[in-house]
């Protein structure tokens, strides 16, 4: 799985409720300061569940692969540790053996394990650090009062600048990247969304389009901001091919 540099993506700020007033230029700086106070030095542990579905092709020819796995992650003085149960690992080995005999046999557990990346879990357990990196490349385009799950919150709308390699920039003809972050009364993120749409052309005749949507829910735990839920949806089409991928990572924090 290729993790989007993916993408992603906060103080009830004292701004006039008049929607015609533009965003304050220091709003992002205030958010960066609030995030910098979360040093993530205290240990954190969580059970996590990863679900995914990959679809290649379309119509009756579409090939679907899905799965779900769960484990535990601990981030402490010795670094990040990921723990899998013996039963889960045995199930993955059994799937591999069946697949070797019958290649059409599904391997949802083995494929699920392949979806889990250490850097993803590290960024979820220390969301403040990864969010600060993304915000350093963002531009604030709107700031207003809003509701999140029926509760007042402050909404920041951002123009994002995805990190692209030179080769990717050469083929992309247009890219639209927008993020939204909802802030609580303490100035910290409660939720965030990001949408990136890219269109391009290769060799003059091959056009392509790709879209990535991501959503996060955050909670503060001591000196950490934790992304307790992350959803990722991707679709692509070009050169006669199409596909889509959906995944979710849910953390259940442990005492």
């Amino acid at each position: 799985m290729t993790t989007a540099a993916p993408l992603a993506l906060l103080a009830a700020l004292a701004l006039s409720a008049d929607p015609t007033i533009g965003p304050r230029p220091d709003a992002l700086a205030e958010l960066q300061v609030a995030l910098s106070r979360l040093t993530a030095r205290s240990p954190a542990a969580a059970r996590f569940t990863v679900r995914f579905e990959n679809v290649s092709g379309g119509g009756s020819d579409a090939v679907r692969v899905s799965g779900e796995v769960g484990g535990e992650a601990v981030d402490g003085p010795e670094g990040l540790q990921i723990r899998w149960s013996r039963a889960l690992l045995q199930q993955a080995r059994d799937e591999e053996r069946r697949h070797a005999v019958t290649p059409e046999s599904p391997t949802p557990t083995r494929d699920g394990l392949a979806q889990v990346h250490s850097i993803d879990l590290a960024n979820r357990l220390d969301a403040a650090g990864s969010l600060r990196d993304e915000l350093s490349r963002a531009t604030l385009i709107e700031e207003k009062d809003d509701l999140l799950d029926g509760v007042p919150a402050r909404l920041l709308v951002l123009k994002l600048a995805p990190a692209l390699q030179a080769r990717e920039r050469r083929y992309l003809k247009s890219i639209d990247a927008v993020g939204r972050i909802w802030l609580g009364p303490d100035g910290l993120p409660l939720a965030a969304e990001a949408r990136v749409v890219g269109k391009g052309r290769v060799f003059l005749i091959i056009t392509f389009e790709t879209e990535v949507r991501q959503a996060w829910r955050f909670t503060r735990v001591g000196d950490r901001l934790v992304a307790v839920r992350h959803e990722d949806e991707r679709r692509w089409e070009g050169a006669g091919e199409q596909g889509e991928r959906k995944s979710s990572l849910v953390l259940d924090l442990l005492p």
Side-chain angles (χ1 to χ4, degrees), residues 1-190:
M1 175 186 68
T2 302
T3 301
L7 304 191
L9 27 225
L10 332 232
L13 303 172
L15 184 72
S16 168
D18 185 346
T20 63
I21 297 179
R24 294 175 299 110
D26 58 349
L28 273 183
E30 291 178 358
L31 174 55
Q32 290 279 30
V33 171
L35 292 171
S36 69
R37 297 191 183 104
L38 300 178
T39 57
R41 293 176 180 172
S42 62
R47 295 189 182 93
F48 64 86
T49 303
V50 173
R51 299 180 179 89
F52 75 96
E53 181 182 40
N54 296 338
V55 181
S56 301
S60 59
D61 295 329
V63 178
R64 298 179 180 273
V65 177
S66 62
E68 175 181 330
V69 295
E72 290 188 6
V74 179
D75 187 15
E78 297 180 354
L80 179 69
Q81 301 178 45
I82 301 175
R83 301 169 181 167
W84 305 106
S85 70
R86 291 184 179 275
L88 183 74
L89 295 175
Q90 186 59 53
Q91 185 175 347
R93 295 188 183 103
D94 291 343
E95 290 176 359
E96 284 188 328
R97 295 188 183 98
R98 288 193 295 268
H99 183 75
V101 177
T102 308
E104 292 79 13
S105 177
T107 55
T109 306
R110 185 195 66 176
D111 295 340
L113 289 171
Q115 305 295 313
V116 179
H117 294 263
S118 299
I119 189 62
D120 291 338
L121 286 169
N123 286 340
R124 302 303 170 260
L125 289 170
D126 179 17
S130 58
L131 191 53
R132 287 186 66 195
D133 293 340
E134 293 294 334
L135 291 175
S136 68
R137 300 190 299 272
T139 303
L140 182 63
I141 58 179
E142 187 179 5
E143 180 185 12
K144 63 180 181 180
D145 293 323
D146 199 19
L147 295 175
L148 179 67
D149 300 332
V151 178
R154 197 68 181 160
L155 172 62
L156 304 185
V157 182
L158 311 169
K159 180 178 181 180
L160 304 177
L164 300 174
Q165 298 178 0
R167 183 173 182 271
E168 295 170 323
R169 290 195 298 269
R170 186 166 65 247
Y171 293 136
L172 273 175
K173 301 304 179 184
S174 68
I175 184 168
D176 180 31
V178 177
R180 292 176 172 82
I181 301 179
W182 287 264
L183 306 175
D186 58 358
L188 292 174
L190 300 171

Side-chain angles (χ1 to χ4, degrees), residues 195 197-200 207-211 235-239 241 243:
R195 178 177 181 266
V197 178
K199 299 180 181 180
T207 61
F208 65 88
E209 178 175 345
T210 181
E211 178 181 14
R235 67 172 183 84
W236 57 92
E237 185 173 356
E241 300 290 337

